[in-house]
Amino acid sequence: MKEATSLALTCLGWSAMTNVLYDGVFAPHADSDKIFLFTPAGKISYAAFSHTTNCLANCLVNNGLKPGDRVAVQADKSVTQLALYAATIKAGGVYLPLNTGYTPHELDYFIGDAKPAIVVVAERVRAAIAPLVTGIGASLLTLNADETGSLTQQANNDSPDFTAIARSSEDLGAILYTSGTTGRSKGAKLCHRNLLSNAKILAESWQFTSDDVLLHMLPIYHTHGLFVASNLLCMVGGSMIFLPKFSSENALAWLPKATSMMGVPTFYTRLLDTPEFTRETANHIRLFISGSAPMLAETHMQFEERTGKIILERYGMTETNMSISNPYEGARIAGTVGKPLPGVEIRIGDAKTGAPVKSGEIGIIEQRGDNVFLGYWQMPEKTAEAFRDDGFFITGDMAHQNKDGYITIVGREKDLIISGGLNVYPKEIEDLIDDMDGVLESAVIGVSHRDFGEAVVAVVVPTDGTLDASTISASLAGRIAKFKQPKAIILTDALPRNTMGKVQKSVLRNTHAELFA
């Protein structure tokens, strides 16, 4: 890795003798009686949250945590789990959230790779995971959705007084594993500078203040729900309506108490499918934000027509936090993710050379700034491959930027289809199909083909049973070049998605791998 180059960035004047992230995010309002979290079970003030955080920090230290040690957590979303994140940071540890959908077999890799000092899981998986934890000499604690478990039992008997362990801006604050759709999952190392600087930039760019009440229905094992939402609202002294997960019914019940909402596109499409979601329901919300997966331009337009509000779409990833956003004040353009955030350098480069492409041409997003991670845990070769010599991180996301600076994502580099030696960008075809009457959504993939190398295949979800493949094919025939036209069109009830709403094209490619065999 070119760490000396890519990490020689401004530290914003933070002293090395402070717990940077905790002091910047959680400490400013720790003694306040103001409500931090509204939950179905009751209200939690900043002071009460800080009390829980301190007890948990003492619990972690009593279980052997030392500065720099990892705390791996696979538990259902709860107030205690959020406080455990803050406690890990305050105790000088490195927080490692794990997707609740991972099986014990999958956890074997993450635990063996990260070698955490403490592992926290739900009681239901404790027995299955115990041998893995014992094998690395870690402590095993439990935390359930109802906030019971050995973690809370121990923490309830620990002192509510705790002094933050000194950590610098370059020390690790968290490790988040990538989805691992191509090869082994990689642990992205995020330092205190990465997380705090991004929260500050988002607060300014999206104008969050202590008056905000955010409707939070996202998981907190992911950048979106943990860092973008929780860090941001805590730092500015705002409040969150902290719900276990999304449902249209819960969203409608709590929206009147909120000023803002963050979600994935699925949240918004499901609200639009609910007749009770009206202009009056959304009228007092100052900001709806969408991310983690692309949103159809049609959804943008339907939402604006229904509510009079324009969704703010932004772009980020595990390795970079948030880096691009449509503006709070100014045009929010459907189909784009906006412009680079302040302090983030973005260029659209040639995939091989990194040389900037011309305006409007497709290339790979590369970026540099305080938001960009330190590298991949225990993978120096992968880290070196991910950075240019001048410190720009190669995201793997393909996009183009118009003359006004707005960036449009066209897909992942690995999703690029090369058919007969010619490049085919799936999003161009998906946009055309999605605009057709009778189509809910589509995904275009490349499938192995003996003549073309890869054949273009469209997987389409119709809105009803009247649409057929020949109609779609005929519509595309006169609108795109022959080599871009799908060699097969498959109708299906739904597209496979991960927990954050992203279409899993790797699953589609595997499912249809033998289509032309």
Side-chain angles (χ1 to χ4, degrees):
M1 174 193 174
K2 321 298 190 290
E3 281 205 53
T5 304
S6 64
L7 302 180
L9 302 169
T10 303
C11 292
L12 304 181
W14 293 318
S15 165
M17 295 306 295
T18 184
N19 190 310
V20 179
L21 183 59
Y22 188 84
D23 285 353
V25 171
F26 298 102
H29 314 284
D31 298 324
S32 173
D33 290 330
K34 179 178 178 177
I35 301 303
F36 174 37
L37 302 173
F38 295 90
T39 77
K43 304 173 185 178
I44 294 94
S45 69
Y46 274 92
F49 185 80
S50 180
H51 180 283
T52 300
T53 295
N54 286 347
C55 292
L56 288 167
N58 277 308
C59 178
L60 294 175
V61 172
N62 292 338
N63 276 275
L65 186 74
K66 298 185 296 295
D69 283 347
R70 277 74 61 205
V71 177
V73 181
Q74 189 199 44
D76 294 317
K77 182 179 179 181
S78 69
V79 172
T80 299
Q81 187 189 356
L82 184 61
L84 178 59
Y85 160 51
T88 301
I89 298 300
K90 191 168 189 177
V94 180
Y95 193 68
L96 172 55
L98 294 168
N99 191 315
T100 53
Y102 289 144
T103 65
H105 175 75
E106 291 170 308
L107 292 177
D108 190 14
Y109 167 71
F110 299 115
I111 291 174
D113 188 56
K115 292 181 171 57
I118 298 173
V119 177
V120 180
V121 297
E123 180 64 37
R124 65 179 180 273
V125 298
R126 184 190 63 79
I129 204 172
L132 311 177
V133 177
T134 301
I136 62 169
S139 297
L140 178 59
L141 299 168
T142 58
L143 175 62
N144 302 311
D146 62 2
E147 315 207 38
T148 60
S150 60
L151 175 71
T152 49
Q153 287 175 352
Q154 290 185 29
N156 287 339
N157 293 319
D158 283 312
S159 170
D161 297 319
F162 190 90
T163 301
I165 303 297
R167 303 297 281 165
S168 77
S169 60
E170 300 307 304
D171 283 322
L172 290 188
I175 295 175
L176 267 65
Y177 278 86
T178 60
S179 57
T181 55
T182 54
R184 284 196 306 156
S185 185
K186 303 185 290 290
K189 301 187 296 183
L190 297 161
C191 69
H192 287 238
R193 166 175 50 82
N194 296 149
L195 300 176
L196 181 55
S197 65
N198 207 232
K200 288 183 174 181
I201 287 170
L202 294 179
E204 295 169 1
S205 299
W206 296 342
Q207 298 187 21
F208 272 86
T209 71
S210 59
D211 293 329
D212 269 293
V213 179
L214 176 74
L215 182 55
H216 190 307
M217 299 173 286
L218 297 158
I220 54 174
Y221 53 72
H222 186 272
T223 300
H224 195 168
L226 187 62
F227 300 145
V228 179
S230 303
N231 280 0
L232 174 55
L233 269 295
C234 192
M235 185 188 70
V236 301
S239 303
M240 293 193 294
I241 297 169
F242 202 66
L243 304 183
K245 61 182 180 180
F246 173 83
S247 75
S248 297
E249 181 181 0
N250 285 338
L252 291 172
W254 286 93
L255 266 173
K257 302 175 178 65
T259 65
S260 52
M261 172 179 158
M262 293 183 189
V264 299
T266 306
F267 289 8
Y268 295 106
T269 56
R270 289 182 180 175
L271 281 173
L272 287 171
D273 287 340
T274 306
E276 293 80 9
F277 182 62
T278 63
R279 182 176 291 257
E280 290 71 28
T281 308
N283 186 54
H284 66 289
I285 301 292
R286 73 169 186 88
L287 185 60
F288 289 99
I289 300 172
S290 181
S292 295
M295 174 175 280
L296 296 176
E298 181 183 2
T299 303
H300 270 279
M301 293 182 283
Q302 288 178 347
F303 196 88
E304 183 180 6
E305 182 180 352
R306 173 84 67 87
T307 67
K309 305 286 184 177
I310 303 175
I311 294 172
L312 184 151
E313 190 169 10
R314 85 303 181 276
Y315 163 86
M317 58 192 306
T318 301
E319 292 93 336
T320 67
N321 301 293
M322 296 304 101
S323 53
I324 303 170
S325 174
N326 272 275
Y328 182 75
E329 294 180 345
R332 301 176 194 168
I333 301 178
T336 81
V337 291
K339 303 178 181 182
L341 285 164
V344 181
E345 296 178 77
I346 296 286
R347 69 186 181 196
I348 312 295
D350 178 86
K352 294 182 179 179
T353 67
V357 300
K358 296 179 181 179
S359 176
E361 292 185 355
I362 293 174
I364 290 184
I365 296 177
E366 300 182 0
Q367 56 180 288
R368 183 171 64 183
D370 281 330
N371 60 303
V372 178
F373 76 136
L374 302 186
Y376 295 112
W377 176 259
Q378 307 284 46
M379 290 185 175
E381 298 84 4
K382 292 292 184 183
T383 300
E385 293 171 2
F387 285 86
R388 300 289 184 190
D389 289 341
D390 59 1
F392 273 81
F393 170 61
I394 307 164
T395 67
D397 285 319
M398 307 194 74
H400 58 81
Q401 188 171 24
N402 68 17
K403 60 182 178 60
D404 296 319
Y406 284 81
I407 294 171
T408 299
I409 309 292
V410 300
R412 293 288 291 170
E413 181 187 15
K414 67 177 184 292
D415 292 333
L416 173 68
I417 302 166
I418 303 178
S419 186
L422 300 171
N423 290 353
V424 179
Y425 298 99
K427 193 170 188 301
E428 178 187 5
I429 306 165
E430 290 165 355
D431 285 346
L432 292 173
I433 295 175
D434 291 343
D435 280 343
M436 296 180 188
D437 291 336
V439 171
L440 179 63
E441 61 179 345
S442 66
V444 171
I445 57 173
V447 173
S448 181
H449 191 286
R450 62 176 298 182
D451 294 330
F452 300 104
E454 284 185 300
V456 179
V457 173
V459 184
V460 181
V461 180
T463 56
D464 53 49
T466 62
L467 189 69
D468 58 37
S470 60
T471 302
I472 298 172
S473 182
S475 177
L476 292 173
R479 305 176 71 187
I480 50 175
K482 181 78 172 175
F483 72 90
K484 297 180 184 179
Q485 294 173 24
K487 299 293 188 291
I489 296 173
I490 299 166
L491 302 183
T492 187
D493 292 334
L495 299 178
R497 281 185 157 80
N498 65 16
T499 54
M500 294 308 295
K502 291 182 180 178
V503 174
Q504 295 178 298
K505 289 192 174 182
S506 60
V507 173
L508 291 174
R509 284 191 288 265
N510 290 335
T511 301
H512 304 292
E514 304 300 319
L515 188 62
F516 300 104

